């Protein structure tokens, strides 16, 4: 381990993984210049485990009856929602349109990272927008997740407290241990939000995802590592569509983004072998 890594790890005992795209809000952590040389890193990919039992939607928007669904019968994925909005004249600037559009965008995009999510909601849902599982190679079985989506808010510490409160209202099957809370926001996490994430006794994940459908930040706290993310990392790579994109890593290998219809930024396994750079960022501000 580099001396800089040792110093930073000592300064941040609570947060074990903080990752962001270069150019986002500055973090006192590793810069991409400290990433391993791509030529020295094997280009092999480690597959994301696929479970035969998943309580969530598939990539085509079909849902599993084991998960409580939204009371709306007018749409079930982004395409059907856009048709519904056009048919009913729902304005694109309305809160309902922006929020629902973002929830479907997030559900589709995160499928490439191993998430299987259904849109849920209704009265007394405690702010839970998406419900499902997350398949990662560091866990023996898919991790159960409750997801809150924030499309138009700046990230503040109170959002972490709201996410913690959502555990109380989780449906049967998503209560007890080994349930992760995931906050997805269109803005990257502020320092206050990161500190609140680090202090939480719940296993929490923060994902910065633009409204256009690009993952710009991935964070999780030490409790999340203990519950199943130990050994999982994040790397950046050059996207075939241009620019850079985040991918998950395990044992030094990239986890290929699953090809999901209608999800931006995914590519084939062969394209995953292109130049990528590891980011192992640790925040020393906690």
């Amino acid at each position: 381990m580099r001396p800089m890594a040792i110093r930073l790890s000592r300064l941040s005992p609570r947060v074990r993984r903080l990752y962001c795209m270069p150019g986002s809000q500055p973090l006192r952590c590793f810069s991409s210049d400290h990433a391993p040389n791509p030529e020295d890193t094997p280009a092999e990919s480690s597959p994301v485990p696929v479970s035969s039992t998943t309580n969530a939607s598939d990539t085509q928007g079909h849902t599993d009856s084991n998960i409580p669904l939204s009371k709306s019968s007018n749409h079930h994925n982004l395409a059907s929602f856009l048709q519904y909005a056009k048919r009913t004249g729902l304005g694109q600037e309305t809160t309902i349109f922006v929020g629902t559009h973002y929830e479907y965008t997030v559900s589709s995009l995160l499928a490439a990272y191993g998430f299987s999510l259904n849109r849920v909601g209704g009265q007394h849902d405690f702010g839970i927008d998406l419900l499902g599982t997350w398949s990662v190679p560091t866990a023996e079985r898919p991790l159960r997740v409750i997801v809150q989506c924030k499309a138009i808010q700046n990230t503040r510490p109170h959002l972490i407290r709201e996410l913690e409160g959502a555990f109380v209202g989780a449906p049967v099957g998503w209560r007890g241990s080994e349930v992760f809370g995931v906050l997805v926001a269109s803005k990257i996490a502020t320092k206050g939000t990161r500190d609140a994430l680090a202090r939480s006794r719940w296993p929490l994940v923060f994902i910065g995802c633009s409204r256009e459908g690009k993952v710009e930040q991935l964070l999780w706290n030490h409790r999340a590592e203990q519950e199943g993310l130990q050994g999982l990392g994040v790397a950046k790579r050059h996207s075939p569509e241009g620019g850079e994109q985040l991918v998950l890593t395990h044992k030094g290998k990239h986890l290929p983004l699953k090809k999901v219809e209608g999800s931006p930024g995914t590519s084939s396994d062969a394209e995953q072998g292109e130049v990528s750079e590891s980011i192992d960022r640790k925040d020393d501000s906690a």
Side-chain angles (χ1 to χ4, degrees):
M1 181 181 293
R2 297 180 177 82
M4 183 179 181
I6 297 174
R7 292 197 301 272
L8 289 176
S9 63
R10 288 175 179 172
L11 290 172
S12 55
R14 285 180 175 273
V15 179
R16 296 301 181 88
R17 290 290 183 270
L18 285 177
Y19 305 99
C20 66
M21 293 296 291
S24 61
Q25 180 167 325
L27 295 174
R28 286 182 290 170
C29 54
F30 293 124
S31 70
S32 57
D33 295 335
H34 293 87
N37 189 325
E39 296 179 357
D40 299 331
T41 304
E44 298 179 65
S45 294
S46 176
V48 175
V50 178
S51 171
S52 61
T53 57
T54 175
N55 296 320
S57 61
D58 59 22
T59 58
Q60 304 302 319
H62 303 118
T63 56
D64 191 301
S65 59
N66 291 329
I67 296 181
L69 304 180
S70 170
K71 293 182 178 180
S72 174
S73 59
N74 298 308
H75 45 81
H76 61 277
N77 58 18
L78 183 57
S80 62
F81 171 69
L82 292 176
Q83 293 174 354
Y84 167 79
K86 182 177 181 180
R87 184 170 66 251
T88 60
L90 181 62
Q92 295 187 10
E93 301 303 320
T94 62
T95 301
I96 293 178
F97 183 94
V98 172
T100 305
H101 188 284
Y102 188 65
E103 291 166 10
Y104 280 131
T105 298
V106 168
S107 178
S108 176
L109 179 66
L110 293 189
Y113 291 82
F115 286 84
S116 295
L117 302 169
N118 280 347
R119 181 173 177 268
V120 298
Q123 289 185 325
H124 313 299
D125 62 4
F126 287 80
I128 299 174
D129 299 307
L130 304 172
L131 197 68
T133 59
W134 185 16
S135 295
V136 291
T138 54
E140 294 182 357
R141 55 182 178 273
L143 304 170
R144 294 169 296 166
V145 295
I146 58 175
V147 184
Q148 289 188 339
C149 300
K150 305 295 181 182
I152 55 178
Q153 296 187 39
N154 292 324
T155 60
R156 301 296 181 194
H158 76 274
L159 296 180
I160 298 298
R161 294 192 293 271
E162 289 181 8
L163 179 59
E164 291 173 331
F167 283 89
V168 178
V172 176
W174 276 261
R175 299 175 186 171
S177 61
E178 299 183 352
V179 177
F180 284 62
V182 182
L183 175 62
V184 186
S186 57
K187 305 293 183 182
I188 64 172
T190 62
K191 179 183 181 300
T193 303
R194 300 196 304 270
D195 289 344
L197 185 77
R199 290 192 300 266
S200 180
R201 65 184 181 88
W202 300 94
L204 301 182
V205 177
F206 179 93
I207 301 175
C209 175
S210 69
R211 288 174 59 181
E212 293 72 33
K214 180 180 180 181
V215 174
E216 299 175 325
Q217 191 177 44
L218 269 167
L219 324 176
W220 55 80
N221 61 8
H222 182 48
R223 181 61 185 277
E225 273 200 341
Q226 293 177 319
E227 292 287 335
L229 300 186
Q230 181 71 42
L232 198 66
V234 174
K236 70 172 183 177
R237 75 177 184 90
H238 299 295
S239 170
E241 292 77 20
E244 296 172 334
Q245 97 190 136
L246 293 182
V247 294
L248 295 171
T249 66
H250 181 237
K251 295 182 178 180
K253 299 179 181 179
H254 306 140
L255 302 183
L257 295 180
K258 296 180 180 179
K259 190 69 175 179
V260 180
E261 183 178 355
S263 178
T266 59
S267 60
S268 66
D269 290 353
E271 292 170 330
Q272 295 288 338
E274 295 183 356
V275 176
S276 65
E277 301 173 15
S278 171
I279 303 175
D280 195 357
R281 297 175 176 256
K282 298 185 179 181
D283 183 16
D284 62 0
S285 60

